[in-house]
């Protein structure tokens, strides 16, 4: 395994005894959860996103006392089971069998570049520690600020990133004071909920200063088939961090579901697979350069462009009634085409029905039409949008070429100049790493405020889900803006689809985005 400098967590003998039955190891950043009820594993991951510490520390702090003691993990799944799996999976090539077993795995101290790789597979569930709830202002004992390190980067890298984090700490305090003054608590409002909402907005405003090297924790639940693909892609990746975590992930899976990843270490199977993935990546880069596509723009602005829309509202309507009909789709399309425009619009509205909340979604007929968007947004917004599972996401390399977003509130608070100086430090270190021959690693130094270009392709049903969720009043302003622009673009080509998005929050007034959520949380019974 490629060695990386990582924070080291220590436990007392008593704590290790409590942890040992439930975690595949106690001293590595990648580990599996075992011998726990599924509800407990789910609750652990749910709490994980807003807990400032590690998963094993969370277990000790909040879960250990309510979990019954069990024997330590025994390891392999058993000889007879392994032989049966070998015969069916490897002998008959029935990959679907690999979808029927899964595991909960935690990957801790991962950079924000690596979290995107970990979350790339579609058929998996993820929970990532949130920059919107957790401050990155504390230094870890014996390690320093929470960012990815590599001896190859040299001392200049650590000086630059330390400066970014020091600026983040100063601005977090200054921004929090400005937000508290700008949004005073209303009469009768809970002081505690208001304080948490002020803190959340301050974190939102300064998170763009965090570099892509910032360390996070990711919880994953996936099938054996998904893990196999993920490990292969990590081991084939040019980033040393990705390869190191791919190795650790494979070792943990070999303890929990070894037969599901048995092909990965085999030279004629996984080995050749990894070679193919590397060849494919190298060829793509070579062809892009040969076609003159590798230079890129030097400046840009945030944008959302609908590149293509596939399908018509007639096809949407025919799809919505198809399952209830007894005729071919062509016949359904002819019946729909005979209606007037107003009739078709009204029928779509009728078939969508009365949605009481955003979780009431229209039928699969909405999957008849699709959209391909090209988006330029800050990396922070990209992180949140990339996590959606039921879409195709392709992204280009993070670089400073497209510029960066500076929240207008920081300008109003008189803090934009300091923010810009930090962006300059970030950009200069990125260029130094590139000049040193570390082009793949240079994005570690870039702040999350820098923009990235990416494509999202999704059907209308998923678009409705994404746009309603990400436009919510409690969402971050940067991805709310993307969601609003996506709906406007859809309205131009498919107004009935946009009209079905009844739970989009269009409000634009400045506010404490998390205040209502904090008040609701406070009123819930413990």
């Amino acid at each position: 395994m490629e060695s990386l400098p990582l924070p080291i967590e220590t436990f007392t003998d008593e704590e290790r005894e409590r942890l040992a039955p439930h975690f595949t190891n106690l001293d590595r950043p990648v580990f599996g959860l075992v011998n726990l009820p599924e509800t407990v594993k789910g609750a652990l991951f749910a709490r994980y996103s807003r807990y400032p510490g590690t998963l094993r520390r969370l277990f000790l702090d909040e879960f250990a006392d309510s979990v019954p003691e069990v024997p330590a993990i025994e390891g392999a799944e058993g000889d007879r089971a392994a032989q049966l799996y070998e015969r069916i999976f490897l002998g008959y090539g029935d990959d679907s069998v690999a979808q029927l077993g899964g595991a909960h795995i935690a990957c801790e101290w991962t950079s924000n570049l690596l979290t995107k790789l970990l979350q790339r597979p579609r058929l998996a569930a993820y929970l990532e520690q949130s920059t919107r709830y957790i401050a990155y202002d504390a230094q870890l004992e014996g390690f320093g600020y929470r960012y990815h390190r590599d001896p190859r980067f040299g001392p200049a890298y650590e000086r630059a990133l330390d400066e970014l984090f020091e600026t983040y700490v100063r601005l977090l305090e200054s921004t929090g004071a400005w937000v508290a003054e700008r949004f005073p608590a209303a009469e009768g409002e809970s002081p505690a909920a208001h304080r948490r909402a002020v803190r959340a907005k301050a974190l939102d405003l300064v998170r763009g200063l965090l570099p892509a090297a910032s360390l996070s924790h990711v919880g994953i639940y996936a099938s054996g088939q998904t893990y196999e693909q993920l490990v292969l892609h990590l081991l084939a990746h040019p980033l040393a961090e990705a390869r190191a975590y791919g190795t650790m992930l494979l070792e943990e899976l070999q303890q929990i579901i070894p037969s599901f990843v048995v092909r990965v270490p085999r030279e004629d199977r996984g080995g050749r697979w990894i070679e193919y993935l590397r060849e494919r990546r190298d060829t793509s880069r070579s062809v892009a350069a040969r076609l003159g596509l590798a230079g890129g723009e030097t400046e840009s602005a945030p944008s959302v462009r609908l590149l293509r829309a596939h399908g018509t509202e007639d096809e949407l309507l025919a799809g919505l009634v198809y399952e209830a009909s007894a005729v071919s789709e062509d016949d359904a399309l002819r019946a729909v085409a005979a209606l007037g425009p107003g009739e078709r619009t009204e029928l779509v509205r009728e078939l969508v029905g009365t949605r009481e909340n955003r979780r009431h979604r229209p039928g699969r007929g909405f999957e008849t039409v699709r959209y391909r968007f090209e988006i330029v947004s800050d990396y922070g917004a990209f992180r949140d949008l990339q996590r959606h599972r039921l879409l195709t996401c392709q992204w280009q390399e993070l670089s400073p070429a497209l510029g960066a977003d500076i929240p207008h509130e920081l300008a109003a608070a008189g803090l934009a100049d300091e923010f810009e100086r930090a962006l300059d430090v970030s950009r200069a270190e990125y260029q130094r790493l590139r000049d040193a021959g570390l082009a793949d690693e240079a994005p570690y130094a870039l702040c999350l405020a820098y923009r990235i270009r990416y494509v999202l392709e999704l059907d209308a049903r998923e678009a409705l889900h994404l746009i309603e969720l990400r436009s919510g009043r409690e969402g971050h302003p940067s991805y709310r803006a993307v969601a609003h622009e996506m709906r406007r673009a859809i309205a131009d080509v498919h107004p009935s689809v946009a009209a079905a998005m009844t739970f989009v929050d269009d409000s634009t007034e400045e506010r404490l985005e998390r205040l209502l959520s904090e008040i609701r949380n406070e009123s819930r019974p413990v």
Side-chain angles (χ1 to χ4, degrees):
M1 184 184 75
E2 300 178 54
S3 177
L4 295 173
L6 292 168
I8 297 174
E9 186 171 36
T10 58
F11 302 103
T12 66
D13 290 343
E14 181 182 357
E15 289 173 337
R16 295 180 73 87
E17 187 176 347
R18 298 294 299 276
L19 293 169
H22 306 296
F23 299 91
T24 52
N25 72 73
L26 304 182
D27 52 10
R28 285 150 59 91
V30 180
F31 51 88
L33 282 67
V34 293
N35 295 330
L36 288 169
E38 294 299 301
T39 50
V40 172
K41 287 184 279 190
L44 267 168
F45 275 0
R47 177 75 177 93
Y48 202 17
S49 69
R50 303 186 187 186
Y51 180 76
T54 65
L55 191 71
R56 288 172 292 214
R57 182 57 59 188
L58 169 62
F59 178 82
L60 291 169
D61 287 349
E62 301 183 14
F63 288 82
D65 290 340
S66 60
V67 173
E69 293 186 8
V70 296
I73 182 174
E74 296 180 357
E77 67 265 274
D79 289 342
R80 291 185 64 188
Q83 290 169 9
L84 178 62
Y85 191 89
E86 174 91 10
R87 181 167 59 84
I88 295 176
F89 182 44
L90 295 178
Y92 292 88
D94 190 355
D95 283 319
S96 62
V97 178
Q99 300 169 11
L100 303 178
H104 288 80
I105 300 285
C107 295
E108 299 193 331
W109 311 120
T110 63
S111 75
N112 270 261
L113 294 183
L114 180 57
T115 62
K116 298 302 94 189
L117 302 178
L118 293 172
Q119 295 171 19
R120 183 158 184 151
R122 291 186 177 94
L123 300 178
Y126 306 98
L127 215 299
E128 180 180 351
Q129 200 171 42
S130 174
T131 57
R132 301 193 65 206
Y133 296 91
I134 297 169
Y136 278 66
D137 54 351
Q139 298 192 52
L140 302 173
E141 185 177 353
F143 188 78
Y145 288 114
R146 285 178 55 169
Y147 63 82
H148 175 75
R149 290 161 169 81
D150 189 315
R152 296 174 299 158
F153 299 173
Y157 169 82
E158 295 193 19
R159 286 195 298 270
L161 267 70
D162 281 346
E163 185 173 348
L164 293 181
F165 274 86
E166 288 161 5
T167 304
Y168 170 88
V169 172
R170 289 195 303 273
L171 284 188
L172 181 59
E173 182 178 355
S174 303
T175 302
W178 178 83
V179 171
E181 183 178 350
R182 174 70 180 80
F183 301 96
E187 185 176 350
E189 191 173 273
S190 162
H194 182 264
R195 280 195 303 272
R196 290 194 297 271
V198 166
R199 179 68 163 176
K201 188 169 183 70
L203 289 170
D204 273 355
L205 291 174
V206 302
R207 81 164 180 175
L209 281 180
L210 293 172
S214 300
L215 298 179
S216 185
H217 303 324
V218 179
I220 307 173
Y221 177 73
S223 69
Q225 184 182 55
T226 295
Y227 276 126
E228 179 188 58
Q229 290 292 312
L230 175 57
V231 170
L232 289 167
H233 278 83
L234 291 174
L235 294 178
H237 203 273
L239 286 182
E241 182 190 17
R243 297 192 298 273
Y245 273 79
T247 300
M248 290 188 285
L249 180 56
L250 175 59
E251 290 172 355
E252 299 310 309
L253 292 169
Q254 286 172 328
Q255 291 192 62
I256 305 172
I257 48 172
S259 290
F260 288 75
V261 290
V262 72
R263 296 188 296 191
V264 176
R266 296 187 178 184
E267 193 60 35
D268 62 330
R269 297 292 188 99
R272 183 63 194 99
W273 214 329
I274 291 168
E275 288 177 16
Y276 167 72
L277 293 172
R278 288 174 177 163
E279 291 165 1
R280 197 178 70 186
R281 174 187 291 270
D282 292 343
T283 300
S284 296
R285 289 181 170 182
S286 175
V287 170
R290 195 165 72 234
L291 296 176
L293 305 176
E297 301 172 15
T298 56
E299 283 296 330
S300 185
S303 63
V304 176
R305 292 197 305 131
L306 178 57
L307 301 177
R308 290 182 290 281
H310 303 277
T312 65
E313 289 201 342
D314 281 4
E315 290 169 325
L316 167 68
L317 185 51
L320 286 170
V321 299
Y322 180 81
E323 292 182 53
S325 73
V327 299
S328 71
E329 187 171 67
D330 286 342
D331 289 339
L333 280 169
R334 279 190 287 271
V336 168
L339 301 172
E343 290 178 292
R344 291 198 291 270
T345 300
E346 182 55 38
L347 273 183
V348 172
R349 186 181 300 115
E350 183 180 344
L351 288 164
V352 169
T354 303
R355 300 176 60 226
E356 296 178 5
N357 59 62
R358 64 176 177 81
R359 292 174 178 82
H360 292 179
R361 296 168 194 157
R364 288 192 174 182
F366 262 61
E367 297 173 17
T368 308
V369 297
R370 296 186 62 80
Y371 310 102
R372 186 171 179 87
F373 288 94
E374 184 175 71
I375 301 169
V376 174
S377 75
D378 68 76
Y379 194 78
F382 160 72
R383 291 169 63 258
D384 294 306
L385 295 170
Q386 182 264 354
R387 287 204 296 268
H388 284 263
R389 304 271 58 81
L390 297 180
L391 51 74
T392 293
C393 182
Q394 294 176 273
W395 62 94
Q396 297 176 353
E397 185 177 278
L398 176 64
S399 83
L402 299 173
D405 290 338
I406 302 175
H408 67 86
E409 294 95 335
L410 293 183
L415 302 172
D417 288 346
E418 193 167 3
F419 195 101
E420 285 191 64
R421 282 193 293 273
L423 293 179
D424 290 340
V425 170
S426 169
R427 183 172 189 152
E429 180 55 21
Y430 166 88
Q431 192 59 51
R432 189 192 69 81
L433 290 173
R434 283 191 67 89
D435 293 343
L438 296 168
D440 287 318
E441 293 78 6
Y444 281 120
L446 287 178
C447 294
L448 302 185
Y450 277 104
R451 302 184 189 117
I452 184 172
R453 183 187 289 114
Y454 52 102
V455 164
L456 298 182
E457 184 160 354
L458 66 174
D459 61 48
R461 199 163 185 246
E462 176 63 10
L464 180 141
H465 164 67
L466 182 151
I467 291 169
E468 289 189 335
L469 174 65
R470 294 304 181 184
S471 68
R473 65 177 291 120
E474 297 166 355
H476 194 282
S478 57
Y479 63 64
R480 287 190 75 232
V482 172
H484 288 148
E485 288 302 310
M486 290 176 71
R487 186 182 67 161
R488 274 193 277 273
I490 290 173
D492 288 339
V493 292
H494 295 145
S496 293
V497 173
M501 299 176 183
T502 50
F503 292 95
V504 173
D505 182 352
D506 285 313
S507 56
T508 58
E509 78 275 8
E510 292 187 3
R511 59 182 174 225
L512 290 179
E513 287 84 2
R514 297 296 307 178
L515 183 56
L516 289 178
S517 175
E518 293 297 345
I519 292 173
R520 284 197 299 268
N521 288 339
E522 198 166 80
S523 65
R524 286 173 180 161
V526 177

